[in-house]
Amino acid sequence: MFGKLVARRPRRALALASTLLLGASLTACSPPTSDEGGGGGSDEIILGRSMDTTTLDLSRNFCDSCQIYNGAVYETLLTATAADAELEPLLAESWEANEDNTEFTFHLRDDVTFADGSPLEAKDVKWSWERLKNIKGNASFMMDGVSGIDTPDEHTVVVHSEYPNSAFFNIASASYMGIINSDVAIENGATADENAESSDEAEQWFMANSAGSGQYVLDSYQEGSSLVLTQNENYWGEEPNFSKVTIKDVADSSSQLQQLQQGDIDVAMQLSFDALDQIEADDNIASEVVPTYNFVYVALSPGAPGAPEALGDPEVRDAIRKAIDYDTVIDAVVAGHADKQSTAIPNGFDGSADLPLPEYDVAAAKKQLADAGYADGFDIDVTFPTFTIYGVNFSTMFQSIQQSLSEVGITLNLNPIEYSAWSEQLGSAGIPMTSVYYAPDHPDTVQYAQYFSRAEGATWGDRAGLPADPKQTDLMADSLAQTGDERLATLTELGQAMYDDAIILPIANPQVILANGTNVEGNNYHITHNIDLEQLTFTD
């Protein structure tokens, strides 16, 4: 399927049906009046969510809220469709790869301008991607293997890879691969040089300014309060549906629901399933429950400071997996609205179909602990953010897991902390046991190998403090050079190796509630943006 690519014939990796990527036109129970639903004016929409934003610098950010911001302000060469995750052109008119997938050529549109009116050119693509690579942020792994970028003319970009990379076109659709106005960014302290990690001084500038070509520009950002976007007056494409988009930081589900009912917000993005009956009974709210590719997981890091010695034994980590009562946890956090997931490859992605699902088996867990010399159990310090994501409250989740593991003698010492403090600790010293979440960056499975496996350089392999696994490194490289059934078999073998490591224990692949005022249409779950603002409209 992927040998020599033909222009506008992108590959795809997802197996889930288009029903997962919904542009939902939600049914209103009663027609709104001009005063009902909608916190903003007639051309301002307000979204309520608990924001996990730590930076608005495109080359440094990596979070769910960031995906929404990036997609609205910065555009990518290719984009994944909302209908079926196929790639389609955005800034690039066409694209092709060489025979062995080591060279990728993009032909840019010649009518794109940045928000300041200047033309978007090949040099901006080269600079943006080199800065992403050299800044060494959380999303820099997307540039792994890129050995050079040529710009033979103003509208052609040629990317060279050290090794075959059949996923690169899908990677190019990730919001973190957006294109920055290089001239403006350089004027304000940004650099794409090899030492950008230490020499770039533009992050604070990006907290108050943007330099993209998208439908919106950054108006203002106040941490813990709101992120405000206004219409890009020089937008080269179709006029956006709103002159102003406000993402209001609303910390919890009950507050989001209350503000939606009061008309203070138009869309509530993280409602809890505990409130589903109340939501569905409210005539002023339109709602729908949809599946997602998102997942919430427990991460075990044997090499983190304070980790018990027992975590270094994969049989002990597997015993922890067996001792978790997943059905009870899922009932507790999302009232049963979630599926179990094998490993850090979400259900529906290539390589996931034939992997074993976790099974609750207390007897087997006790035996494995006893065989490993831990019949009396042990203690683990668990640090996690006071956070609710995809309807999952981490405190509720860990209280349920704490009860499960007590049955096998493992005591969890729970330590909930603020998101920013948790994020800093996770990124520095590490945490023996925590919980995190993940939404797809693009439609290819390789992102999960690059982030969660023990392949050389993978993010979580390093965080866990375990050595790289040459076998997983080879499998990931093989998968990038293969196509069709051969690639599917390799991804399945890699997924099994990740399962056997038992570093990442997915707890739930939750559904989400799309909820909005009845005067809003087009609420949706989007694979790479979380929500596609272009689909949202007011009905009046």
Side-chain angles (χ1 to χ4, degrees):
M1 182 176 178
F2 206 84
K4 180 177 181 180
L5 292 185
V6 179
R8 298 191 181 217
R9 290 276 301 179
R11 68 169 305 287
R12 65 185 294 273
L14 295 181
L16 281 191
S18 60
T19 50
L20 273 182
L21 299 162
L22 298 175
S25 181
L26 303 179
T27 304
C29 297
S30 62
T33 69
S34 59
D35 295 324
E36 286 179 336
S42 60
D43 57 356
E44 177 191 4
I45 192 164
I46 301 179
L47 286 60
R49 65 177 286 119
S50 177
M51 287 198 288
D52 51 351
T53 307
T54 55
T55 178
L56 299 180
D57 186 335
L58 177 65
S59 307
R60 289 183 166 92
N61 67 29
F62 195 64
C63 69
D64 282 16
S65 300
C66 307
Q67 290 181 322
I68 302 171
Y69 173 73
N70 297 347
V73 173
Y74 296 95
E75 294 181 307
T76 48
L77 302 196
L78 313 177
T79 187
T81 64
D84 54 13
E86 292 283 358
L87 296 183
E88 63 179 12
L90 186 53
L91 297 178
E93 291 182 314
S94 61
W95 56 95
E96 65 265 351
N98 65 352
E99 187 70 31
D100 62 357
N101 285 306
T102 56
E103 184 177 293
F104 311 94
T105 301
F106 298 87
H107 303 282
L108 307 182
R109 296 176 63 105
D110 61 6
D111 59 348
V112 178
T113 58
F114 287 110
D116 68 353
S118 61
L120 186 149
E121 299 174 338
K123 69 180 177 62
D124 299 298
V125 178
K126 172 181 170 67
W127 186 90
S128 298
W129 288 358
E130 288 180 346
R131 182 172 187 256
L132 174 63
K133 178 179 182 177
N134 293 329
I135 212 82
K136 295 182 172 55
N138 284 325
S140 295
F141 70 88
M142 295 184 186
M143 296 297 292
D144 284 355
V146 172
S147 56
I149 302 175
D150 294 331
T151 54
D153 59 55
E154 292 181 351
H155 300 108
T156 304
V157 178
V158 182
V159 178
H160 304 277
S161 177
E162 297 172 0
Y163 46 77
N165 186 352
S166 59
F168 192 75
F169 289 129
N170 276 319
I171 292 172
S173 73
S175 70
Y176 309 102
M177 297 286 284
I179 307 306
I180 301 170
N181 185 330
S182 60
D183 292 335
V184 170
I186 291 169
E187 288 175 4
N188 290 280
T191 178
D193 293 346
E194 290 185 0
N195 61 351
E197 181 183 18
S198 58
S199 62
D200 186 279
E201 298 177 343
E203 184 173 12
Q204 286 307 307
W205 184 84
F206 278 110
M207 296 299 286
N209 303 275
S210 59
S213 64
Q215 287 189 322
Y216 299 94
V217 298
L218 175 63
D219 180 90
S220 64
Y221 172 64
Q222 290 183 295
E223 185 177 358
S225 176
S226 64
L227 173 65
V228 180
L229 310 177
T230 54
Q231 179 179 347
N232 174 4
E233 299 295 340
N234 289 316
Y235 188 58
W236 59 277
E238 293 184 9
E239 183 177 351
N241 293 327
F242 311 103
S243 64
K244 185 176 181 181
V245 176
T246 297
I247 305 176
K248 189 175 180 181
D249 198 340
V250 186
D252 59 75
S253 169
S254 59
S255 297
Q256 289 183 23
L257 178 55
Q258 183 181 29
Q259 294 197 23
L260 182 61
Q261 291 172 320
Q262 293 172 344
D264 295 333
I265 61 176
D266 299 297
V267 176
M269 297 192 66
Q270 296 154 320
L271 295 182
S272 168
F273 281 95
D274 292 342
L276 185 58
D277 289 344
Q278 184 182 358
I279 294 166
E280 293 179 337
D282 193 322
D283 289 345
N284 293 315
I285 297 176
S287 66
E288 184 172 354
V289 176
V290 300
T292 74
Y293 296 107
N294 304 340
F295 63 98
V296 172
Y297 60 95
V298 164
L300 304 175
S301 295
E309 184 179 354
L311 279 189
D313 187 336
E315 288 298 314
V316 171
R317 299 196 295 272
D318 184 53
I320 292 174
R321 173 165 49 202
K322 287 186 171 72
I324 296 174
D325 184 348
Y326 293 88
D327 291 336
T328 296
V329 176
I330 288 173
D331 283 343
V333 294
V334 290
H337 289 273
D339 292 321
K340 290 189 286 186
Q341 180 175 313
S342 174
T343 187
I345 301 176
N347 302 323
F349 272 74
D350 281 354
S352 67
D354 295 327
L355 298 178
L357 291 174
E359 293 186 5
Y360 177 48
D361 190 336
V362 173
K366 285 183 174 178
K367 183 178 186 307
Q368 283 184 227
L369 289 172
D371 291 346
Y374 298 99
D376 296 330
F378 51 88
D379 288 13
I380 309 177
D381 293 332
V382 183
T383 302
F384 59 92
T386 52
F387 203 64
T388 297
I389 189 79
Y390 319 140
V392 177
N393 180 279
F394 282 1
S395 292
T396 302
M397 182 181 75
F398 265 122
Q399 288 165 8
S400 184
I401 294 173
Q402 183 184 50
Q403 186 169 355
S404 287
L405 295 189
S406 69
E407 297 296 319
V408 297
I410 297 176
T411 300
L412 302 187
N413 304 311
L414 304 186
N415 178 34
I417 60 177
E418 291 299 318
Y419 180 88
S420 57
W422 167 82
S423 179
E424 183 176 350
Q425 184 174 343
L426 182 68
S428 54
I431 301 172
M433 185 174 186
T434 188
S435 187
V436 203
Y437 54 95
Y438 204 90
D441 298 317
H442 57 77
D444 195 281
T445 296
V446 74
Q447 65 189 296
Y448 302 104
Q450 292 173 324
Y451 198 71
F452 292 106
S453 77
R454 285 176 53 206
E456 185 73 37
T459 301
W460 265 110
D462 291 340
R463 282 181 181 165
L466 296 176
D469 179 356
K471 178 183 177 182
Q472 292 186 40
T473 301
D474 290 345
L475 287 170
M476 187 170 75
D478 290 346
S479 74
L480 289 171
Q482 296 169 338
T483 61
D485 291 342
E486 185 181 30
R487 185 176 198 242
L488 185 61
T490 298
L491 290 172
T492 301
E493 186 176 357
L494 178 56
Q496 183 65 55
M498 293 163 64
Y499 179 91
D500 294 340
D501 275 338
I503 295 170
I504 303 298
L505 309 180
I507 302 300
N509 164 216
Q511 302 169 350
V512 295
I513 302 172
L514 303 179
N516 49 264
T518 53
N519 63 339
V520 174
E521 285 187 341
N523 197 359
N524 63 91
Y525 165 77
H526 190 276
I527 184 171
T528 59
H529 296 165
N530 272 288
I531 185 171
D532 182 3
L533 298 179
E534 289 191 50
Q535 296 185 48
L536 288 175
T537 61
F538 285 128
T539 58
D540 51 8

